[in-house]
Amino acid sequence: MMKVTNDFLIPFTGLKLGKHQFDYQITQKFFESYDYCDFENCAVNVKVTLDKKTTFMELSFKHNGTVEVPCDVTGELFNLPIKGAIKVLVKFGDAFNNENEELLILPHGEHQIDCTQYLYELIVLSVPQKRIHPGVKEGTLKNEALERLSVKSIKEQTKEEKEAITDPRWDKLKQLLTDK
């Protein structure tokens, strides 16, 4: 769990009713305080819109940027584009409660919202489980792992070609089925 910093606190007490926008640039330093190391580098822009109503508020988080991750096929690092959005309804109650991911209950008298955990989850959950370097998909990336994989697939292909040669006795039997 990360310590609360003032960087991601949104004070809403003095704000007028309506929409207010907050912009954040999230870097790797943000994730170091969580001891999170699934990616090497992070450059993500997050726009938070606070829509203040008379009895509740709505937070909208939208982000886009890149995280540097290793390719699952080659192990090569590359910048993976990520983006996403979430909405959180903020209401007031007797005690703090953030158990529901779409509803945040703040105690009466609270004057600010800590967005740190939402920013963390928003970015971490938008990184896909399977990470393939774009050069692998395009066929432009050259490295030792890919060369070994292509040699193996050529061997498998010749094995399949051998299996494709059929026995003439079976061909005659198959012909009986189609000659009806």
Side-chain angles (χ1 to χ4, degrees), residues 59-71:
L59 283 172
S60 298
F61 296 85
K62 284 186 179 179
H63 77 289
N64 68 345
T66 60
V67 291
E68 190 177 32
V69 295
C71 173

Side-chain angles (χ1 to χ4, degrees), residues 14-54:
L15 298 176
K16 295 179 181 175
L17 295 180
K19 293 186 178 184
H20 307 275
Q21 188 167 311
F22 303 88
D23 296 320
Y24 299 107
Q25 277 69 46
I26 308 297
T27 62
Q28 192 62 30
K29 186 178 179 192
F30 176 83
F31 290 97
E32 286 170 2
S33 44
Y34 276 100
D35 290 331
Y36 185 80
C37 56
D38 264 20
F39 38 80
E40 302 290 317
N41 200 353
C42 174
V44 178
N45 296 318
V46 182
K47 289 188 186 309
V48 180
T49 304
L50 172 72
D51 192 358
K52 187 175 179 183
K53 315 274 186 181
T54 50

Side-chain angles (χ1 to χ4, degrees), residues 92-129:
F92 296 93
D94 294 331
F96 177 86
N97 185 336
N98 65 351
E99 291 171 9
N100 184 331
E101 60 193 39
E102 296 174 358
L103 176 66
L104 171 64
I105 298 175
L106 295 176
H108 294 289
E110 187 66 53
H111 63 281
Q112 60 190 10
I113 301 170
D114 182 9
C115 295
T116 311
Q117 188 65 28
Y118 292 105
L119 296 172
Y120 172 81
E121 290 175 10
L122 178 72
I123 294 169
V124 168
L125 294 175
S126 67
V127 177
Q129 290 293 317

